[in-house]
């Protein structure tokens, strides 16, 4: 599943409102504060009953461990029944370390303008929404390539990304001799 096209989401390229939520560990997560210490923020909306959410968490958590100094991560359950206790148990059972919390009142999820999960939103260093994906990431590499678009000194102004960048390593593979002779 690719990211929403710009005309499908008026949010892309626009500022995301500042917010503060408390994760299940009791830590406050404030967007403006996180952007002082990180180049981007990734928010993943999910629910404990969502199979695709459960399937993508190992990849998201792996990238979180690699990128947490550059990117702030927050996984928010949109399910009102997912209490902090349920989310904490889910986190522990699945060996997840990324910050997780609840958005059962949909204060933030409403901006995704969908009823689906998972949904991943990336907010750049300028507080603008630059990527919105409805559906799960297939691999950690897909997530890395997406995040890398918004990191580093070359990223000097907001640039919206409409889909996961192609794996250019795959494009450079040689054609097998058997196929080359056709």
């Amino acid at each position: 599943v690719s990211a929403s096209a710009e005309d499908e989401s008026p949010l892309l390229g626009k500022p995301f409102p500042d917010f503060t939520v408390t994760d299940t560990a009791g830590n406050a997560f404030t967007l403006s504060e996180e952007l002082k210490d990180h180049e981007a923020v990734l928010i993943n909306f999910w629910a404990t009953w969502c199979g695709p959410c459960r399937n993508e968490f190992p990849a998201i958590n792996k990238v979180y461990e690699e990128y947490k100094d550059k990117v702030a991560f927050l996984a928010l359950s949109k399910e009102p029944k997912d209490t902090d206790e349920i989310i904490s148990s889910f986190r522990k059972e699945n060996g997840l370390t990324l910050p997780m919390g609840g958005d059962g009142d949909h204060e933030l999820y409403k901006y995704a303008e969908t009823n689906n999960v998972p949904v991943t939103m990336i907010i750049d260093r300028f507080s603008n929404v630059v990527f919105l994906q409805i559906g799960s990431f297939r691999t950690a590499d897909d997530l890395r390539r997406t995040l890398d678009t918004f990191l580093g000194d070359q990223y000097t102004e907001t640039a919206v990304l409409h889909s996961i960048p192609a794996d250019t390593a795959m494009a450079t593979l040689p054609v097998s001799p058997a196929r080359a002779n056709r």
Side-chain angles (χ1 to χ4, degrees), residues 11 33 37 45 57 90 110-111 122 132 142-143 177 180-181:
L11 188 64
E33 291 299 313
D37 299 326
F45 295 101
F57 269 133
F90 178 91
K110 68 183 177 191
Y111 292 103
I122 299 174
L132 179 68
D142 284 351
L143 180 53
N181 292 332

Side-chain angles (χ1 to χ4, degrees), residues 72-90:
F73 284 68
L74 181 62
L76 293 173
S77 174
K78 71 155 211 118
E79 172 57 56
K81 293 178 186 170
D82 285 350
T83 62
D84 280 356
E85 294 76 25
I86 290 171
I87 295 168
S88 292
S89 293
F90 178 91

Side-chain angles (χ1 to χ4, degrees), residues 1 6 13 18 24 36 41 46 49 54 69-70 84 94 96 99 108-109 138 145 174 177:
V1 179
E6 188 169 17
D18 199 16
T24 57
K36 288 178 183 176
V41 171
W46 64 285
W49 48 258
R54 189 179 299 264
D69 292 339
K70 297 183 273 190
D84 280 356
N94 290 281
L96 303 174
L108 299 175
Y109 178 70
R138 289 191 313 258
R145 284 194 312 277

Side-chain angles (χ1 to χ4, degrees), residues 4 9 26-27 35 64 70 87 96 98 107 126 130 134 137 148 151 153 156 161 164-165 170 173 179:
S4 301
S9 179
N27 301 312
L35 286 172
Y64 162 72
K70 297 183 273 190
I87 295 168
L96 303 174
L98 75 154
E107 280 303 305
F126 309 111
V130 291
I134 299 169
F137 280 92
D148 286 347
L151 305 179
D153 293 339
T156 58
L161 186 62
I164 296 169
M170 296 298 287
L173 293 176
R179 291 185 55 107

Side-chain angles (χ1 to χ4, degrees), residues 22-174:
T22 303
D23 68 19
T24 57
N27 301 312
F29 185 106
T30 301
L31 178 62
S32 58
E33 291 299 313
E34 294 298 330
L35 286 172
K36 288 178 183 176
D37 299 326
H38 298 90
E39 296 181 54
V41 171
L42 179 147
I43 303 172
N44 177 266
F45 295 101
W46 64 285
T48 53
W49 48 258
C50 168
C53 301
R54 189 179 299 264
N55 292 341
E56 81 172 342
F57 269 133
I60 291 175
N61 200 75
K62 181 176 186 173
V63 176
Y64 162 72
E65 288 297 332
E66 297 167 9
Y67 281 63
K68 63 185 173 185
D69 292 339
K70 297 183 273 190
V71 178
F73 284 68
L74 181 62
L76 293 173
S77 174
K78 71 155 211 118
E79 172 57 56
K81 293 178 186 170
D82 285 350
T83 62
D84 280 356
E85 294 76 25
I86 290 171
I87 295 168
S88 292
S89 293
F90 178 91
R91 188 173 180 248
K92 186 175 181 179
E93 289 166 16
N94 290 281
L96 303 174
T97 55
L98 75 154
M100 301 179 89
D103 185 39
D105 57 4
H106 296 173
E107 280 303 305
L108 299 175
Y109 178 70
K110 68 183 177 191
Y111 292 103
E113 297 183 334
T114 181
N115 291 318
N116 299 320
V117 284
V119 173
T120 301
M121 185 180 297
I122 299 174
I123 301 165
D124 73 2
R125 65 184 71 173
F126 309 111
S127 301
N128 295 315
V129 178
V130 291
F131 183 78
L132 179 68
Q133 172 155 311
I134 299 169
S136 56
F137 280 92
R138 289 191 313 258
T139 67
D141 282 341
D142 284 351
L143 180 53
R144 281 187 204 97
R145 284 194 312 277
T146 302
L147 285 170
D148 286 347
T149 303
F150 310 108
L151 305 179
D153 293 339
Q154 80 286 353
Y155 190 79
T156 58
E157 62 183 332
T158 295
V160 172
L161 186 62
H162 296 282
S163 60
I164 296 169
D167 184 354
T168 55
M170 296 298 287
T172 61
L173 293 176

